[in-house]
Amino acid sequence: MGHHLDALVDAAATGDGISLDGFTVSRSDDGFRLETPESTLNGLTEGGLREALADYDDYATNWYFWSEVVGESSPQRRAFLRWVEGASVDAGGDDGGDADDTENDGDAPSVPERYDDLRDGVCREWGQLLVTVTVDDHGERSYELRHADEVDADRDELDPYRESLAARQLATYDEKGRYRPLKTGNNLAGGWVFPDLDAHDLVETVETFYPASVPNWYRERRGELDVAHWADAIGRQTGMYSVVKTWNRGDGHEHVNWVAEACCDDSQCVKRREWQYDDDTDLDVDGGDGAFPCREPCSVVIAASRKWTRLEGEETQTYEFELTPSEKEQVEDIIEAVADDRTDAIREADVYEGANRYRARFLRAKLFDDEGNLGGVPTDASDDE
Amino acid sequence: MQALVIVAHGSHLNPDSSAPTYDHADTVREVGAFDEVRTGFWKEEPSIREVLRTVEADEVYVVPLFISEGYFTEQVIPRELRLEGWDVADWDSDGLSASHVTLSATDVPEKTIHYCGPVGTHAAMTDVLVRRAETVTGDPNVGEGFGLAVVGHGTERNENSAKAIEYHADRIREMDRFDEVQALYMDEEPEVDDVTDYFESEDVVVVPLFIADGFHTQEDIPEDMGLTDDYRTGYDVPTEVDGHRIWYAGAVGTEGLMADVVLERAADAGADIGNTLEVVRERTRKTPQEAN
Ligand code: SF4
């Protein structure tokens, strides 16, 4: 108790004193000076300062938390934690920098306002994660982390975890137990909660779920995100992935629109795609609304693009077979259901759904020959793919 | 502050691929040899491209969890880390002797990056192969009456890969601990398929020099050696094949002692790891035998 006051008085007596979030304490020849947006006190003795600080405890614990607990050793961690609780992100640090993100400083709540919110809990979404930060009577922060879809779930109904690295296992499989190759895939399973993380471990846990999301977000805020557009990222590939370069022919970038629509849509990936076709050519597909950016095509996209490069190298052919209008629509339904990962949701007896299993089996029984050819038409005698 | 960054291949399909990387990172983390321990992957996240920006420390030791020098250690990793002025000649390696170079990386210009050679070619890797034999037989003194096969890809993909196999097979032979030691390959002679032709000993421990279990170590090699017709049905350890008992160990990279090699690589590059090597050697000895 009171150790934050000792630290504060010490720091205030040193050099230029302290200054954070509208709270300034310094010492001159006529004693201590304490300043908040509400009032200014001058000529205080050390005892007088301590007494006065009792009325400004939120300011004092706020200073202590940001200066002594979080510190400045990792500007990106500090920035993220300030963003989480709605404090102005680029103020109050000594890291200077050319931050141009001061426009929201004007809107940032005062310390007492922020503390009022924090006592009730302040929530932020980060991909599919929900962070809730609360402050106790001593000004100490506690962070809860859970799946954003479980915002209303009773904490007792979720499995509690304390170690940041437990997130690794939680991020490995989706709700159906399938391996998640992309950490930012929009398929994070729920059912867990980290009920009480400290500031450091919160960031470690978030970074375990979404590696490098905080540093990339931080760089973006500072206007320093090193986006590598499709053309650059593909251009640097070697070995088995260098073939993707051959997919870019002429000036068209429609194929990359399709890639982005297939993989990077908010329904598939929680990152906000910032990469475009190249420096001069934006994709026509929206990058999404994710909290943190994607700075270049990921390895999943590149691996898939290698396959598409091969597939898209084929010439189209005309096949002739007949479908009823409903059969054509059914083929469309099946593609839609697979693309939206909806097949599991289609009930066994729901024969009104084109992608229903019995409907698909009926279509196969009717239209496939023994070799599995649709309409009995061979794909291509010379095609051994 | 010093950080260890372990970089590995990873997989889009198989969670077992990155599991050893995480295990060894955890071991190093627990002994407190570094202020920070991070992992980065070619196929998982954080990508090798972005791993350095997740690091706080200013001295960074990057250890590739790869078996041999080659495409990944010489081209992909330096490129993705954005190592400034990287030149493979600075490793001055004969294919086995890359130790480390100290460079900066454009991604984090304020940091010093010590880029180490792969774990697979480090002398300490020999001990891990032997430890793997101990683990799979459950006998800390295994050797007498036993043959040991070290298995790798052949030269087809990378000639250094075969060099690493030979190197460790030679070193184990020099220990004079096993009755016979043989290097075997997947795609060239002497082939792992014919493992029983190459040993007189009734008991043969077979250890693939692979970082992680996957298609090759879990499907190909067990089927090729005749441990099983179908890898999905599994196999016993040991399994009787042509009058030999084959103790198939799976990927050596899953052995806990691998953390020791990671530490040695970083220490060779100048990391201050105190007495943690001994702690790791002891702690990982308790690694329970993996049931196959
Ligand atoms: S490339 Fe697309 S799918 Fe991959 S991480 Fe970025 S936004 Fe997500």
Side-chain angles (χ1 to χ4, degrees), chain A residues 60 62 83 171 277 297 305 312 359:
Chain A
N62 185 65
W83 174 80
Y277 181 71
S305 295
E312 291 296 296
R359 288 280 306 279

Side-chain angles (χ1 to χ4, degrees), chain A residues 182 184 259-260 263-265 268-275 287 294-301, chain B residues 45:
Chain A
L182 188 64
T184 50
V259 171
C263 305
C264 307
D265 187 77
Q268 306 300 304
C269 175
V270 301
K271 281 189 191 176
R272 169 170 32 83
R273 181 182 50 74
E274 288 296 325
W275 56 266
C294 172
R295 40 169 297 283
E296 68 177 23
C298 65
S299 73
V300 172
V301 159
Chain B
E45 298 136 276

Side-chain angles (χ1 to χ4, degrees), chain A residues 144-221:
Chain A
E144 190 216 67
L145 190 67
R146 61 168 71 189
H147 195 294
D149 292 349
E150 293 169 333
V151 54
D152 295 322
D154 228 339
R155 198 190 266 185
D156 299 341
E157 277 159 25
L158 303 171
D159 295 335
Y161 294 88
R162 311 216 159 254
E163 303 280 333
S164 298
L165 285 176
R168 212 158 56 195
Q169 200 57 27
L170 297 172
T172 303
Y173 300 96
D174 70 7
E175 207 70 70
K176 295 169 193 160
R178 298 175 298 193
Y179 176 54
R180 299 174 68 236
L182 188 64
K183 290 269 194 330
T184 50
N186 194 22
N187 57 352
L188 183 67
W192 47 266
V193 64
F194 292 80
D196 181 21
L197 295 164
D198 67 17
H200 179 273
D201 286 357
L202 170 77
V203 181
E204 286 298 306
T205 313
V206 164
E207 278 281 294
T208 306
F209 279 112
Y210 296 139
S213 60
V214 171
N216 285 332
W217 167 87
Y218 179 70
R219 285 178 184 224
E220 182 180 50
R221 287 190 75 97

Side-chain angles (χ1 to χ4, degrees), chain A residues 79-382:
Chain A
F80 178 75
L81 290 165
R82 285 186 67 85
W83 174 80
V84 163
E85 67 173 56
S88 65
V89 169
D90 300 305
D94 285 340
D95 65 317
D98 47 6
D100 55 1
D101 190 63
T102 43
E103 84 275 7
N104 80 3
D105 288 5
D107 312 334
S110 70
V111 171
E113 285 167 344
R114 175 147 52 85
Y115 265 60
D116 279 346
D117 293 341
L118 283 170
R119 287 188 180 97
D120 298 335
V122 173
C123 297
R124 283 283 195 177
E125 281 191 27
W126 187 256
Q128 289 182 285
L129 302 176
L130 181 77
V131 186
T132 307
V133 52
T134 48
V135 71
D136 68 11
D137 291 342
H138 308 299
E140 278 172 25
R141 268 76 165 169
S142 164
Y143 298 86
E144 190 216 67
L145 190 67
R146 61 168 71 189
H147 195 294
D149 292 349
E150 293 169 333
V151 54
D152 295 322
D154 228 339
R155 198 190 266 185
D156 299 341
E157 277 159 25
L158 303 171
D159 295 335
Y161 294 88
R162 311 216 159 254
E163 303 280 333
S164 298
L165 285 176
R168 212 158 56 195
Q169 200 57 27
L170 297 172
T172 303
Y173 300 96
D174 70 7
E175 207 70 70
K176 295 169 193 160
R178 298 175 298 193
Y179 176 54
R180 299 174 68 236
L182 188 64
K183 290 269 194 330
T184 50
N186 194 22
N187 57 352
L188 183 67
W192 47 266
V193 64
F194 292 80
D196 181 21
L197 295 164
D198 67 17
H200 179 273
D201 286 357
L202 170 77
V203 181
E204 286 298 306
T205 313
V206 164
E207 278 281 294
T208 306
F209 279 112
Y210 296 139
S213 60
V214 171
N216 285 332
W217 167 87
Y218 179 70
R219 285 178 184 224
E220 182 180 50
R221 287 190 75 97
R222 294 173 61 96
E224 294 169 354
L225 186 68
D226 52 332
V227 174
H229 297 300
W230 167 272
D232 308 330
I234 295 307
R236 100 171 175 257
Q237 301 304 315
T238 53
M240 65 190 281
Y241 295 116
S242 58
V243 66
V244 182
K245 285 170 213 169
T246 66
W247 198 12
N248 299 338
R249 298 181 190 100
D251 301 323
H253 60 274
E254 199 180 24
H255 57 300
V256 189
N257 283 336
W258 296 330
V259 171
E261 184 173 332
C263 305
C264 307
D265 187 77
D266 278 352
S267 66
Q268 306 300 304
C269 175
V270 301
K271 281 189 191 176
R272 169 170 32 83
R273 181 182 50 74
E274 288 296 325
W275 56 266
Q276 305 292 346
Y277 181 71
D278 62 22
D279 244 345
D280 306 319
T281 322
D282 282 1
L283 296 180
D284 308 313
V285 181
D286 188 51
D289 299 320
F292 48 92
C294 172
R295 40 169 297 283
E296 68 177 23
C298 65
S299 73
V300 172
V301 159
I302 289 178
S305 295
R306 174 172 176 256
K307 182 68 181 168
W308 283 318
T309 301
R310 297 251 159 92
L311 298 175
E312 291 296 296
E314 294 177 10
E315 295 297 324
T316 58
Q317 289 188 31
T318 303
Y319 296 101
E320 210 171 313
F321 49 80
E322 299 204 320
L323 300 176
T324 67
S326 293
E327 284 167 352
K328 173 181 173 285
E329 284 180 0
Q330 191 187 347
V331 170
E332 291 158 359
D333 287 348
I334 291 170
I335 293 172
E336 294 273 2
V338 171
D340 296 335
D341 196 18
R342 220 164 46 75
T343 50
D344 281 3
I346 297 170
R347 290 163 297 173
E348 187 166 328
D350 190 357
V351 293
Y352 301 95
E353 281 272 7
N356 167 267
R357 194 171 80 235
Y358 294 128
R359 288 280 306 279
R361 291 178 66 84
F362 183 92
L363 196 68
R364 179 172 70 178
K366 177 180 169 188
L367 295 182
F368 284 22
D369 66 12
D370 291 345
E371 269 78 56
N373 288 308
L374 179 60
V377 181
T379 302
D380 186 340
S382 64

